[in-house]
Amino acid sequence: FKMDTTPESYLDLFPLDAIVYLTPDSENVLEDIDPDKVYVLGGLVDESIHKQLTLRRAREQSLQTARLPIREYMVKAPNARNYHSETLAINQVFDVLSTYYETRSWPAALRAGVSSGKGYVLPDTAEQ
C-alpha cells in the first residue's frame, strides 16, 4: 500500500463531501468502499473515557460518518467478562478495510480484523 504523510489536515486536502469519518458510534453502516471517498481512521486509547468523541468531532466538522458492519455480520460471543466492543485499533480497521477491498466480503474482512477479544464472532464460529 502506498501511503503519504503530511502535516496538513484532511480538511484542507479533500472536499468535505468526499470525507467519511469512521466511528463506531455512527448510525450509518459502511456497506461498500467508494474509491471516490476518503476514509478517516481515528485512534483512541481508552474507549470508555472518550465515548462518542469521534462522532462529535465528525459532526463538528460537518463530515459524513460510518461504522463498520460488525453488528450486521457478527454476533456477541459469550465470555466471562460479558465484554463486547465495536471500537477497534487503527491497524484492525485498516485490516478490515483492505481485506474487504480485496475480497468484497464483509465476513472475510471482519474475520481478518476483529479479534475474538472484542467479544464478537462470526455466526459460524459462535458455537466453537
Side-chain angles (χ1 to χ4, degrees):
F1 296 96
K2 181 182 177 208
M3 184 184 320
D4 291 322
T5 59
T6 178
E8 295 174 86
S9 169
Y10 52 86
L11 297 172
D12 298 328
L13 295 172
F14 306 101
L16 290 183
D17 62 351
I19 301 172
V20 179
Y21 203 113
L22 297 178
T23 170
D25 300 311
S26 179
E27 309 87 28
N28 307 313
V29 179
L30 183 64
E31 295 179 13
D32 199 6
I33 296 174
D34 182 343
D36 295 325
K37 298 286 186 182
V38 175
Y39 296 90
V40 176
L41 284 60
L44 299 176
V45 175
D46 186 343
E47 67 199 59
S48 64
I49 293 173
H50 300 289
K51 192 84 173 130
Q52 303 269 328
L53 176 65
T54 53
L55 183 61
R56 280 196 310 272
R57 184 176 295 154
R59 285 181 175 161
E60 288 167 2
Q61 297 170 345
S62 300
L63 299 174
Q64 300 170 70
T65 63
R67 65 174 172 78
L68 296 176
I70 293 172
R71 286 178 240 157
E72 287 69 23
Y73 289 92
M74 301 185 91
V75 296
K76 290 181 177 182
N79 60 65
R81 297 182 328 169
N82 195 29
Y83 176 77
H84 302 92
S85 175
E86 295 180 50
T87 302
L88 305 178
I90 291 173
N91 62 305
Q92 292 172 311
V93 175
F94 183 82
D95 287 346
V96 170
L97 293 175
S98 60
T99 302
Y100 176 77
Y101 191 77
E102 291 172 12
T103 65
R104 291 299 198 235
S105 166
W106 281 118
L110 294 167
R111 181 178 286 116
V114 180
S115 70
S116 60
K118 291 291 178 177
Y120 284 91
V121 295
L122 292 169
D124 62 345
T125 60
E127 300 300 319
Q128 298 175 2

